[in-house]
Amino acid sequence: MFLAIDVGNTQSTLGLFDDEGQLAKGWRMTSNASDTSDMLHARLFSYFLKDGYELADVSAAAVASVVPALTRAWWRCLGDLLGRSPLLVNATHDYGMPIDMPNPRTVGADRIANAIAARNAYGSPVIVVDFGTATNIDVVDDRGAYRGGAISPGLMLSANALFSKAAKLASIPVEAPEHALGDTTETAMQSGLVIGAAAQAEGLVSRMKAELGIEQAKVIGTGGLARTVSRATGLFDAIDPTLTLRGIREIWLQQHGGA
């Protein structure tokens, strides 16, 4: 089986794929930069044991990480598990997608994985909006090249800042309200957070489509809060929660000749 790991600033997502390329099981864990390789190994073992798998089932693995300390820890952990180094996704390698940017090396591993998976699944042009710690928008043009996008504070980052700095505002459920015009403090906050995130995505995507002349581009939502935001907008052609993990696996396949 193949293990894909997407290490974000707040959470890490793990996906175990079977030989047919189907996601057999997925897990989420907190991203803690102080975790050692031994701690990650123990946590991985407990996840596998809980769901009836064995670490010996894993024959290959790849990691897309935006946390350097955890990149090193996962590299050692998976190296010990596999007896060889896992693939570390980064923009220094050619994954079959041109990166049409002045400095391609600065592109995050998760953004590369999203763009490749989206192009493979939905064709090009395509735009991915990933609602994680940050909200990332990534654009693949009509030539199939990665063109960049936008990065903004994520919905929960904004919510936590609001809750911590505004003494009279208590934590509320982060969900889409029925109307943009909130008639209570709670619905006003939900409007500002969720409908605000949707409106931001709508505006940025519209401008990017116009700038590149790709009005026909499909728009794909992914990330932990994609379904929540999608209830406040008709922007998305699809919500694809496993997009990043599939992109990691597809990059591994490309590097290994489709093996």
Side-chain angles (χ1 to χ4, degrees):
M1 304 184 82
F2 177 82
L3 180 63
I5 302 175
D6 173 29
V7 182
N9 287 295
T10 304
Q11 288 190 329
S12 297
T13 307
L14 294 73
L16 189 64
F17 290 84
D18 63 24
D19 291 339
E20 302 299 320
Q22 300 300 310
L23 184 64
K25 189 64 184 179
W27 301 276
R28 283 185 179 270
M29 59 187 286
T30 300
S31 295
N32 187 337
S34 65
D35 280 350
T36 66
S37 60
D38 288 340
M39 294 166 70
L40 294 174
H41 195 130
R43 196 170 300 176
L44 196 60
F45 175 80
S46 68
Y47 288 161
F48 274 56
L49 181 65
K50 173 177 70 72
D51 290 306
Y53 296 99
E54 297 182 3
L55 292 182
D57 294 335
V58 180
S59 57
V63 180
S65 173
V66 298
V67 184
L70 285 175
T71 304
R72 294 187 292 270
W74 276 115
W75 185 82
R76 289 191 292 270
C77 170
L78 295 171
D80 290 342
L81 174 63
L82 297 171
R84 62 184 184 281
S85 298
L87 173 69
L88 299 180
V89 176
N90 60 65
T92 64
H93 293 87
D94 179 8
Y95 299 132
M97 172 177 282
I99 301 177
D100 193 359
M101 296 174 62
N103 189 358
R105 292 174 180 267
T106 63
V107 182
D110 54 338
R111 301 180 74 189
I112 296 292
N114 279 343
I116 287 175
R119 186 185 67 174
N120 290 351
Y122 303 99
S124 56
V126 66
I127 298 174
V128 178
V129 186
D130 187 348
F131 295 95
T133 304
T135 297
N136 294 333
I137 300 179
D138 298 298
V139 181
V140 178
D141 68 15
D142 52 4
R143 300 176 295 116
Y146 180 83
R147 295 294 299 274
I151 303 174
S152 63
L155 197 161
M156 288 308 302
L157 199 61
S158 299
N160 290 333
L162 182 62
F163 299 151
S164 65
K165 297 299 182 182
K168 291 187 177 181
L169 300 181
S171 178
I172 61 163
V174 178
E175 57 189 33
E178 292 186 11
H179 307 287
L181 180 64
D183 57 6
T184 66
T185 299
E186 179 174 301
T187 56
M189 291 172 65
Q190 289 172 333
S191 175
L193 290 169
V194 181
I195 297 181
Q200 180 190 60
E202 290 168 351
L204 286 169
V205 166
S206 176
R207 291 187 180 210
M208 291 173 186
K209 285 183 174 183
E211 288 173 1
L212 294 178
I214 55 169
E215 284 78 5
Q216 77 278 23
K218 291 183 177 179
V219 182
I220 312 304
T222 193
L225 287 167
R227 292 198 186 280
T228 298
V229 177
S230 72
R231 297 186 182 101
T233 178
L235 174 66
F236 300 109
D237 294 287
I239 299 298
D240 193 336
T242 66
L243 188 73
T244 312
L245 294 174
R246 294 205 320 275
I248 295 169
R249 178 179 177 274
E250 289 164 18
I251 288 170
W252 185 89
L253 288 171
Q254 191 269 346
Q255 291 293 287
H256 291 79

